[in-house]
Every structure is written in structure tokens, then in C-alpha cells.
Amino acid sequence: MTVEPVKDYFEVAVSAPVNRALTYLPPDNCEKLLRQGIRVLVPLGGRKITGYILDKVDSAPVGQQIKKIYEVLDSEPLFPAEQVSFYRWIANYYHYPIGEIIRAALPAGLTKKSGRRIIITETGRKQLLELSDKAITGASWFSDLLKKGEIGPHTAGSLWRMKERRLLELWQEKGWLTISGEIVGGTAKAKTETCCALTENIAYPENLKVSEQKTIAALQKIASATDSRFVPRREVTREYPGAGKALKSLARRNIVIFREQQVYRDPFGESFLQSDIPETLTAEQKRALDSILPALQKARFASFLLHGVTGSGKTEVYLQAAAHGLEQGRSVLVLVPEIALATQLEAHFMARFGSRVALLHSGLSSGQRFDQWCRIAQGMADVVIGARSAVFAPLKNPGLIIVDEEHDSSYKQDEGFRYNARDLAVLRASRSAAVVILGSATPSVVSYYHAKEGKYNLLYMGKRIEERPLPDVEVVDMQSIKTVSGSPPVFSPVLIKYLRENLQRGEQSLIFLNRRGYANFMLCRDCGQTAQCRHCQVSLTLHRSENKLLCHYCGYTVSSKSVCASCQSMSLTAIGVGTERLEHELQELLPGARIARLDRDTCRKRTDYIRILRAVHKGEIDILLGTQMITKGHHFPNVTLVGIVLADTGLGLPDFRAGERTFQLISQVTGRAGRGERPGRVIIQTFQPGHYSIEMARSHNYSGMYAREIEMRKTLSYPPFSRLANIKVEGKDKAYVQEAAISLANMAQKFRKGQEPEILGPAPAPLMRLRDYYRWQILIKGKKLETLHAFLHRLEGEIAPLGKAGKVRITIDVDPEYMM
Ligand code: ADP
Ligand code: ZN
Ligand code: ZN
């Protein structure tokens, strides 16, 4: 009887829609290279596909032919081993393929491989110059090594797969070489710069030219000032203009050596703020920190919900907690809503922690993003600020995770791999024995409920800094305003009056409307139809400056001069207002006022955004108007008036969170007023003045809103009293989609145990057609998390065959945010 030798297998998460990790054998002689977090190329169904090593296992599934990994793509892991179990948990919870999750987590530019950089040492140079083995000294890599002082990742990678590897490792042991890991991107490449240094232990020849002497002096000066031996060539030639040529001749004589060094592209641009540590904390800030700091000290999981009204100084609490976390030798992760980047928070962190800060968000070029990822992975940055996807940042040993504006719905990724970064932040903290702080002036109802139930520690800061009052709020009922034409005006007389007064006093105003474009939609006066998107079941919005009608969902445009699609009439009228029209009307009402607009049309790039914000800070703008972009986290001390043009835009949506969101939005906008020395005033224009969301926002009554919401959710059994999953069935064939949705719902009914979970639908989605896809949904509501997920796992098995024909796409949205 023969005994099978014990084999090592590897569990690989492939980046393909496969529900579980697969098992592979290591490639010949490369087993040592395989570690958790390394990418590999593996065979799958006749293709080569990227995968990520999750673990080493000692057995394989029986009855299957186990294939070999083709190639190892990295020498350094792309994420720390401790993150593997985090990804496993996520895959299980969101019912999404683990390999696809990891691919989504890694920065987009990072598609190629990581490699090595081999650098010669001083002793190495002396020793290797004396080498006489022709087989080695004749090789081009060897002469490159001597000439440039290093071998880059490309050549190093190929040497590593050949017999030279032994030799190089031997030389490394002798101290002749240093070998460092480096990640090399596909599209995103590390940016390098030629740097130079004086060689050591070499007596300078006597007959140096003057230019050479000056060059050496310049080099030494910069080196000692910057405390680094290798200095950029650029800087030497700047210091001494004749240096270029002299450096070359010095290199020929082995007095100077060159090498390419990675430089980091500065993603921050200019920041426009100072951050001084305040002399004294407010009593409330102190109380909050007195709870948080001891928790950090213990290095155990603890969670806080910091409910602090707008202007209460939450940022300072974050900053001091972060400083404390760093002192404990732990890293710090700060999540902010995408839109809020480039605001005060980021500037404060950079001012306090300088080059330890890395920034991750979609405004970065893929090169910048890649650089930032490397700095984090290599431990060069231990404070990370980023939007949603930064929750996956490869930080080692995070001790503090902060989620600012935790109620913000941009934490939810609503396409592809649907996750909620706030929830994952709490999870990551609990798995890293870290402290998590969720901060907001208007916490989400669900988080607040958890805090009340004791799952989070609730910290409250109810006063503004320096006891500044919250602004006075007036609600204007637009229904009651009569005009000659019969249709209500855009601006109420009272808002116009205050805008004028503010202008005269030289104070700034903010005008908010949650709708971009010129008009809401185009109505045909002859047949009563509105202009619709050809691909979606939505109206087109007029963008007048560009003369087009635009679909805000899919980007489809037609000329604004179009005729009615149903009756060919030419009399299309623009109905409703958007920010573009507000700007026009304001210019007519208040000629001479300096007006700026902040929305997705005026701010395509982050630099536009910063330019406008800076102008407001400098007092170059009298009135800033815009969409949600003006609501997030800004601190404009001179803003004393805020006008909300149409407060009820979101109230009519078929979504159980509509009331909560409206309250949050109004409160956030309201909170921009009166943050400086002068008190603020807010005007809310609405057609539903009696709605509790508006009433509670007017009176700054968070707990009033919470009480109403929690009551409603309890009655209807919505979160936090249940867990939801939305199963979406989408496809181009209308009838097929409907049939698939019905048969899936029937299946779901069969899997149900008694009353659990509740199944609502199937029903057409509120936006029944989007980007040419017909959409149906089935809402699953479970009282218990475990039974809901067990149910979903069973149902998953049925979903795959339904989707097989390629005619429908079925996705599970766990904890959905939007029901549209
Ligand atoms: P929030 O995020 O709670 O809305 P901020 O953190 O933006 O409020 O703080 C509002 C302002 O108060 C900022 O300009 C901040 O620098 C300042 N500030 C914070 N703490 C203090 C303090 N203890 N003393 C004086 N000013 C403070
Ligand atoms: Zn018509
Ligand atoms: Zn569309």
C-alpha cells in the first residue's frame, strides 16, 4: 500500500461570480511565496483568472481534480492577513462572492503585480567590482546593478524565477544588497524620480573641477538639511545650476551614484485652513473624551455614538482621540461622506498629523490612489481619511475608527457589491479590538436605537462652541402665498427681504435646493405628457445653459428644442425649479450680489469645489446656493442666513426613510447658519408645513423626530425592529422579468418557516424601468438576523439557475437603503 504524501493546498478567492473560495495546488517550487493576501493567476473553466490567497489548507474537496496555480503575482501581500476573516464574514453577510469583494476593495489601479527592488550597498559595490566570474559579470542585469546601483521590479521579477535568485539571496545575506518589496501597478504606476548620493568611503581625487566641487557641496547641503542620503537630482541642479554635467562625470568616477526613488504625488492640493489646538475644551467635549480615552487605553472593542449638535465641536473630539490612539501605537481610520472631503475635517487632520495622513477617495487619480494605498500598506501612513471604500484600507492594527456624519446615505454602496461602510466600520473595529466612534448631529434612527438599547455608548453634546445659539427657524407655507399668475413664486417675500438685508450688512447667505438643473421636467401643453427618458421611467430635466434635457439616472440627453414625443407639439413648458434656475432668478432679484452655485454641474472636479469653498471663506461670495453639496460639514463663520427653497422634495418618495432623511437634510442645512459670532436665521419654504419632519427640524427637536419614527417603525415592523433584504430581478425582456420574479417569490414562500421571514411582493420597483432594464423586487423582512440569513442562503441556491439563461440578473441587497 502506498501512502499519499501530505500535500499543501491553498484556498483561493477568485475574482469571478463564484460563491465560495476554491482550492488549488501551489505551482512548482513557489510554495514559499504563497502567503495570505498574495494574488495568483489560476485556471478556472478554461480561463486564467486572478485570485487571492486566503489560506493554506491540508485537504481538498474529495472527488475533484485539483488544479495548480499558474503564477504568483505578488511578493508582498496586498492586504494584511488579519483582513482575510473580515472578508469571509462580509461575503457571508452580503451574499456576494468573496473574490469579487476583494477586487472591489483593492484600488482600481492595482491590477498588476507587486515586486522587488534590489539595491546595492557600499560593501556590495566594492565586493562585486572584484568579481571575475564571466557568467555573472557579463550579464546585463549585473552591469545595470553596478551602473544604476539597483535593479527595478521588472527585471528583479524575472531574475527571481531563475537560478539567479539563489545568488541574489546569498548576496543579501552577506549584506551586499538590500531587497525591498514594492507594489507595481497596472495602469497606476509608482512615480519615481532620479535621486543621487555621494558614495561613502571613497577618497575624493584631488583634481576636481570647480563645478564638481560646488556640486558636491550642494549635494551635501541638501542631504544634511533633509536628513536623507539620496536627494532628488532636480534639487541639486536647482541649488547649483551647473550641477547636471558635473553629476554625470562624478558618477563616472564613482563619487556619485544615482537611483530611482519612489515619490508620492501630493493628493491634498492646497489646504485652506489652520488648525490650532483650542486652549480649553468645552465641558461636553471633555466629558466625551473622558469616556473615549480610557476605552482606547484598554485596547478592547468599544463603540460610541457621538450625538453632537452642529457646531458643538465634534472634530476636536475626533482629533484628540486620534492623537491618543497613535500614542498607543495603533493606527487610525476616519471615514467621511464622499462629498464632504476637502472640508475642514481633512484639513484639521492634516494640520495635526502631517505626513502620517493618507487620503483615499474617488477624486484622486488612479496614480495618486495607488500611491496612497502603498503608503498605508507599507506602514508609512497610519492615519487614513477616506470615503466609503476606505473601510477596506490595508491599515495594520487599527485602534480607532471614526465614522463622521454616520447617518449619511453615501456610506451605502448601491451598485455591484452593495455594502454599508458604516456597518463594516463597526465590524472591523470589533474584530480589531478597536474603538469606533459614530458621529452625527442627526444620528440615523437605527444607530440611535442601538445606543438607547446599550449596544453603543451614547455621548451627547447639546451646546454649540462658546454657547452660540442654534439659529432661529421660520417656516413659510408656500401654499398661502398668492401671486397674479396663480403659481407660487420661487422665493417667498420674507426670504427676499432677509437676503437683501444680509447683503446690505455684508453678511453671507446660503440657499439650498435639493435638485439640480433648470427645471424639474418639461410638460407638453397640448397633450399633458412630460418628456421622458428613452431608457428609464423618469422625466428628463432641463439644463438650460447647455440647451439639453438630461436624464439624472442614465445620462441620456436630447436637445431642449425637441418636440413632444407623443403629439409632436412644439409647446413644451419647463415646470418646477432647479438650482440653475435659482441662480438666474437670484441674479435678477439682487443685481450686484456675488453669487456662486455648488452642484454636480458646476463642480465636476474636486478643484472646482475647493475653489468655490475658498472664495466663500475669503468673503468673495455673498450668496452660495446649491444642492446637498453645501450641507456637509462646512464651517462658514460669516453665514448668518440659510434659505431652504423647497423642503419637501424628498417627502413624497415611496421609502420608509423619507421622513428621517428630510429631517436630517433640513437640520444639516440649518446647522450652517450662525456658527460665527453673529446669530443665524433660517427660512424653510414648504408646501407641507405641518409634516413632523419639518416641524421637528424647525424646533431642533431630534428626540421628537426619533419618537415619531420609532413608533412608525415598530407598528410597521421596519428597521431597527426587523432586518431587510431586497431581492432585485432585472432584465430587458419585460414579460420574462415578471415571470422570473413571480417564480422566485413562490419559491421563497416555500422555504419560509411559519411566519418567518415575511415576504413582500413580488412587485415592480418604483422606478420600473432604468437604463433599459425592467425591474421587479421582492422585499424580505426578518425579525431575526440568523433566520433571515439562513433563508437567504437557501434561496441563493435557487437564484443561480434562474439567472443561468442570462435573461435576468438577480441581486440580493442586504440592508437596503433605497427602495427605488
Ligand atoms: P461640528 O463638527 O460638531 O459641527 P466643528 O468640529 O466643526 O463642529 O467645530 C466648530 C468650530 O468650533 C470649529 O471652528 C472648531 O475649530 C471650533 N472649536 C472646536 N472646539 C473648540 C474649543 N474647545 N474651543 C474653541 N473653539 C473650538
Ligand atoms: Zn404633447
Ligand atoms: Zn435615463
Side-chain angles (χ1 to χ4, degrees):
M1 203 176 86
T2 55
V3 180
E4 283 271 320
V6 182
K7 276 191 195 145
D8 281 329
Y9 298 96
F10 287 87
E11 203 188 356
V12 176
V14 292
S15 60
V18 176
N19 270 345
R20 57 190 73 244
L22 304 176
T23 308
Y24 288 91
L25 280 163
D28 299 332
N29 306 323
C30 287
E31 195 180 323
K32 267 205 278 169
L33 297 176
L34 296 176
R35 277 179 290 156
Q36 291 172 299
I38 295 266
R39 281 175 318 140
V40 289
L41 212 56
V42 295
L44 181 72
R47 287 192 301 146
K48 282 186 187 178
I49 226 162
T50 310
Y52 312 89
I53 301 279
L54 296 183
D55 221 338
K56 192 169 172 172
V57 287
D58 52 16
S59 65
V62 282
Q64 273 180 34
Q65 194 210 343
I66 302 300
K67 295 195 180 132
K68 252 188 217 169
I69 291 169
Y70 279 127
E71 206 185 318
V72 183
L73 295 176
D74 304 309
S75 60
E76 295 297 317
L78 292 182
F79 50 88
E82 64 194 57
Q83 250 171 289
V84 168
S85 64
F86 181 53
Y87 286 129
R88 283 192 208 274
W89 189 95
I90 294 171
N92 193 46
Y93 184 80
Y94 286 108
H95 301 266
Y96 205 74
I98 186 166
E100 303 262 53
I101 290 170
I102 297 175
R103 186 174 60 172
L106 299 177
L110 215 124
T111 51
K112 275 284 176 295
K113 17 184 116 179
S114 72
R116 293 177 181 74
R117 185 172 290 276
I118 301 172
I119 297 165
I120 196 165
T121 62
E122 287 308 320
T123 9
R125 180 177 291 277
K126 278 190 216 140
Q127 300 289 342
L128 292 176
L129 275 169
E130 284 165 21
L131 212 68
S132 58
D133 184 345
K134 274 271 146 43
I136 299 171
T137 58
S140 63
W141 63 265
F142 185 79
S143 52
D144 271 2
L145 180 63
L146 287 183
K147 221 187 302 167
K148 295 189 195 144
E150 63 167 20
I151 299 174
H154 188 74
T155 313
S158 52
L159 290 174
W160 222 245
R161 274 177 247 126
M162 301 190 290
K163 62 179 187 313
E164 279 78 8
R165 176 174 172 180
R166 281 266 170 71
L167 196 64
L168 292 169
E169 281 177 331
L170 187 74
W171 290 353
Q172 181 188 26
E173 273 166 37
K174 291 185 177 180
W176 297 359
L177 304 173
T178 57
I179 301 179
S180 59
E182 180 172 308
I183 301 169
V184 189
T187 50
K189 285 208 181 64
K191 187 175 170 189
T192 60
E193 180 170 24
T194 307
C195 296
C196 50
L198 288 170
T199 50
E200 282 160 13
N201 309 324
I202 289 176
Y204 302 135
E206 314 230 301
N207 53 346
L208 286 180
K209 287 187 210 144
V210 179
S211 66
E212 290 170 338
Q213 286 169 8
K214 287 194 173 160
T215 301
I216 291 176
L219 226 165
Q220 279 169 329
K221 188 173 147 198
I222 300 167
S224 68
T226 58
D227 215 17
S228 59
R229 210 178 129 226
F230 277 85
V231 301
R233 183 168 60 188
R234 208 161 33 88
E235 284 181 28
V236 184
T237 50
R238 197 189 298 146
E239 174 79 14
Y240 176 63
K245 229 168 144 195
L247 277 174
K248 267 191 208 149
S249 82
L250 288 168
R252 265 197 302 277
R253 282 183 282 163
N254 231 336
I255 296 169
V256 160
I257 46 172
F258 287 115
R259 112 177 172 203
E260 295 295 311
Q261 222 165 25
Q262 188 170 358
V263 290
Y264 295 106
R265 286 156 278 213
D266 176 17
F268 301 116
E270 243 179 292
S271 60
F272 49 89
L273 266 175
Q274 296 279 321
S275 177
D276 301 322
I277 300 177
E279 272 162 31
T280 48
L281 291 175
T282 66
E284 290 181 328
Q285 284 173 325
K286 197 165 171 312
R287 192 143 31 87
L289 281 165
D290 283 346
S291 309
I292 296 167
L293 301 192
L296 276 167
Q297 207 98 32
K298 284 197 196 116
R300 266 195 251 127
F301 170 63
S303 54
F304 295 90
L305 177 65
L306 177 59
H307 176 202
V309 299
T310 53
S312 58
K314 294 185 285 296
T315 315
E316 190 58 38
V317 174
Y318 301 154
L319 287 162
Q320 301 213 4
H324 200 81
L326 292 174
E327 264 168 39
Q328 315 271 312
R330 317 269 310 260
S331 58
V332 176
L333 175 62
V334 186
L335 298 183
V336 290
E338 180 69 54
I339 248 171
L341 283 148
T343 59
Q344 276 81 356
L345 189 122
E346 174 190 327
H348 279 298
F349 269 86
M350 283 169 52
R352 296 273 170 100
F353 304 112
S355 59
R356 301 177 83 160
V357 178
L359 199 58
L360 288 175
H361 63 81
S362 63
L364 302 180
S365 69
S366 66
Q368 288 173 328
R369 213 180 149 80
F370 168 77
D371 290 349
Q372 297 291 315
W373 187 272
C374 294
R375 289 182 60 222
I376 302 164
Q378 292 165 6
M380 292 165 70
D382 51 7
V383 179
V384 176
I385 303 180
R388 181 169 66 217
S389 67
V391 74
F392 304 110
L395 278 169
K396 292 193 186 90
N397 195 17
L400 175 65
I401 302 182
I402 295 165
V403 184
D404 190 32
E405 311 281 0
E406 68 87 31
H407 65 278
D408 197 281
S409 47
S410 77
Y411 285 121
K412 167 77 182 187
Q413 160 82 40
D414 232 7
E415 268 172 20
F417 163 39
R418 297 176 155 85
Y419 63 95
N420 189 313
R422 176 203 51 216
D423 300 348
L424 289 183
V426 177
L427 176 80
R428 189 165 178 189
S430 80
R431 305 179 71 94
S432 315
V435 166
V436 62
I437 306 174
L438 307 179
S440 175
T442 52
S444 66
V445 168
V446 172
S447 294
Y448 200 75
Y449 176 79
H450 288 326
K452 288 220 140 184
E453 294 288 296
K455 192 174 155 205
Y456 303 147
N457 298 292
L458 184 60
L459 305 172
Y460 181 61
M461 305 204 297
K463 292 203 188 89
R464 281 189 159 180
I465 296 291
E466 291 170 0
E467 311 256 332
R468 283 170 195 151
L470 284 163
D472 270 335
V473 187
E474 256 173 71
V475 174
V476 178
D477 179 2
M478 294 304 280
Q479 211 92 58
S480 69
I481 299 176
K482 296 280 174 281
T483 53
V484 190
S485 70
S487 56
V490 175
F491 295 104
S492 59
V494 54
L495 180 53
I496 297 171
K497 174 176 152 251
Y498 287 137
L499 278 170
R500 284 226 166 86
E501 287 177 8
N502 238 26
L503 205 55
Q504 274 154 14
R505 275 199 302 266
E507 295 177 9
Q508 293 174 306
S509 309
L510 284 188
I511 301 287
F512 168 76
L513 174 62
N514 205 15
R515 214 184 251 164
R516 65 196 175 99
Y518 188 85
N520 223 7
F521 53 88
M522 299 297 283
L523 182 76
C524 172
R525 268 188 300 200
D526 290 329
C527 76
Q529 296 284 332
T530 59
Q532 294 273 317
C533 174
R534 188 186 285 190
H535 308 283
C536 313
Q537 189 201 20
V538 293
S539 307
L540 295 171
T541 306
L542 172 66
H543 287 246
R544 206 171 73 170
S545 60
E546 292 162 88
N547 289 319
K548 64 186 188 191
L549 304 181
L550 172 70
C551 172
H552 283 184
Y553 285 87
C554 74
Y556 169 77
T557 59
V558 287
S559 158
S560 59
K561 309 261 158 19
S562 313
V563 296
C564 172
S566 357
C567 76
Q568 324 305 321
S569 154
M570 306 258 283
S571 42
L572 291 179
T573 332
I575 305 281
V577 289
T579 45
E580 195 189 339
R581 177 153 165 220
L582 277 193
E583 191 181 3
H584 276 264
E585 301 235 346
L586 270 181
Q587 273 159 354
E588 275 171 25
L589 272 170
L590 306 165
R594 295 166 300 172
I595 299 169
R597 168 156 65 99
L598 203 64
D599 60 26
R600 260 204 285 153
D601 298 311
T602 59
C603 296
R604 297 250 156 82
K605 293 195 303 282
R606 181 174 142 101
T607 45
D608 299 329
Y609 183 64
I610 294 178
R611 182 173 42 75
I612 296 175
L613 291 186
R614 190 179 292 131
V616 178
H617 268 281
K618 284 191 185 157
E620 295 163 2
I621 303 289
D622 299 314
I623 303 175
L624 177 67
L625 70 99
T627 55
Q628 294 200 52
M629 278 188 171
I630 68 168
T631 66
K632 311 273 165 109
H634 306 303
H635 182 74
F636 300 126
N638 200 29
V639 167
T640 51
L641 174 65
V642 165
I644 300 175
V645 170
L646 236 188
D648 32 283
T649 47
L651 282 179
L653 297 177
D655 191 321
F656 74 89
R657 287 193 183 87
E660 173 183 1
R661 287 210 187 97
T662 300
F663 172 85
Q664 285 162 342
L665 201 53
I666 297 176
S667 305
Q668 293 288 343
V669 193
T670 299
R672 300 309 115 205
R675 292 169 71 99
E677 272 152 25
R678 275 155 299 186
R681 182 196 298 282
V682 179
I683 303 294
I684 301 178
Q685 300 186 169
T686 175
F687 288 96
Q688 298 182 54
H691 193 285
Y692 70 89
S693 292
I694 291 171
E695 177 47 36
M696 301 296 180
R698 186 192 65 73
S699 50
H700 312 290
N701 188 353
Y702 178 84
S703 40
M705 182 281 300
Y706 176 78
R708 286 293 290 260
E709 281 290 323
I710 213 76
E711 184 68 38
M712 178 271 278
R713 301 197 186 184
K714 196 167 200 166
T715 317
L716 300 176
S717 182
Y718 272 123
F721 301 100
S722 66
R723 296 283 194 146
L724 301 180
N726 196 10
I727 303 181
K728 302 184 178 177
V729 183
E730 298 166 308
K732 289 194 174 168
D733 181 333
K734 194 174 174 183
Y736 195 94
V737 171
Q738 179 172 355
E739 261 168 53
I742 291 170
S743 76
L744 189 61
N746 287 342
M747 220 116 58
Q749 293 289 359
K750 269 191 251 152
F751 291 155
R752 191 154 94 106
K753 289 206 185 78
Q755 294 304 304
E756 270 294 294
E758 197 182 334
I759 296 165
L760 303 165
L767 285 175
M768 185 173 173
R769 186 157 163 263
L770 205 58
R771 298 182 189 92
D772 285 326
Y773 278 77
Y774 291 91
R775 311 160 74 236
W776 278 65
Q777 55 193 27
I778 305 166
L779 189 64
I780 314 288
K781 211 192 240 180
K783 284 251 158 46
K784 278 225 179 75
L785 185 65
E786 299 75 28
T787 40
L788 176 68
H789 281 271
F791 169 84
L792 290 174
H793 279 297
R794 272 197 81 182
L795 201 61
E796 250 178 317
E798 306 301 322
I799 286 175
L802 267 175
K804 261 232 158 77
K807 289 176 85 176
V808 283
R809 187 171 65 194
I810 300 174
T811 43
I812 302 179
D813 186 359
V814 178
D815 303 329
E817 270 290 317
Y818 286 98
M819 307 295 182
M820 301 297 286

